[in-house]
Amino acid sequence: MSNIIVTTPEELRAIVSEAVSGALPKQVSTQPQIDTMTLNDALELLKEHGYPTSKAKIYKLTSAGKIPCKTYGNKLVFSRKEILLWAENQTQPKHDSTKISLALARSARRKK
């Protein structure tokens, strides 16, 4: 026959709780990341991703409408996704073969 185990209700709850928590996958409580940020947060984000810039440059770009932003009252508000996409689109490869070819062609024409 099987062995009989005598336990208190609290011990039984603890044993069952431990067994259940070990069997179920851990649930990570992920809070949704807020997409909007202030000017200072946008500067920090750009710096973290390798696009350092100044406040003056951001103000100049926003007034010209060249950077995606919104206003809340008199404060600038940026979208994390949009600002990173904008920064990525601003980058250019260092050695673009078409520009090199055009520069060589111009140089050759001048030497005639």
Side-chain angles (χ1 to χ4, degrees), residues 5-63:
I5 300 173
V6 179
T7 183
T8 64
E10 292 80 22
E11 289 176 339
L12 182 60
R13 280 189 197 97
I15 292 169
V16 170
S17 176
E18 185 179 315
V20 169
S21 67
L24 294 177
K26 300 280 185 201
Q27 292 183 353
V28 178
S29 62
T30 57
Q31 296 177 351
Q33 190 175 16
I34 298 173
D35 188 49
T36 58
M37 62 183 139
T38 63
L39 174 66
N40 290 331
D41 295 336
L43 287 170
E44 282 297 314
L45 180 73
L46 289 170
K47 185 178 178 182
E48 288 173 7
H49 284 84
Y51 307 109
T53 190
S54 66
K55 260 187 188 181
K57 178 78 171 178
I58 295 292
Y59 279 128
K60 187 175 181 180
L61 290 170
T62 56
S63 67

